[in-house]
Amino acid sequence: MKSTVEWQQGMVFKATSGTGHDVLLDGDKAVAGSPMELVLAAAGACSSVDVVSILEKARQQVTACRCEVNGERADAVPAVFTKIHLHFVVTGKDVAEKHVERAVQLSAEKYCSVAKMLEAAVEMSHSYSIEQAN
């Protein structure tokens, strides 16, 4: 796996993944998310992939899944994350709480590579809520 990061202008950089996908990053947060914001997004996306996949395999009728990620950073430089909380909002028809709980737990404890990597240095926590689809 590889990535290339190229300076565009100011504090804006373009990252190109090994599979050819581009994403902008902005140290000033004027035109794109900062690298640290994208770390949070990566944790939320990685975990969400797991949760949705596990729920689909359990034949749950999921119509939406949102992961709200909150991070706390150290006051000193480098301002690393000290705590990250992922809250999953799963929407669907008659989605069973036991399946959502299991999906979130499996993602946190076994499958999410990003969260597993971060938990070596960051206090990670997870929660979920279920909303009934119309």
Side-chain angles (χ1 to χ4, degrees), residues 8 27 31 34 40 46-47 93 113 119 132:
Q8 303 298 293
V31 299
S34 73
L40 290 181
C46 183
S47 292
K93 297 181 184 200
S113 303
E119 78 178 11
Q132 185 67 24

Side-chain angles (χ1 to χ4, degrees), residues 1-2 24 44 56 93 100 103 108-109 115 132:
M1 185 174 289
K2 68 177 192 167
L24 286 180
E56 285 181 342
K93 297 181 184 200
V100 175
E109 294 177 0
Q132 185 67 24

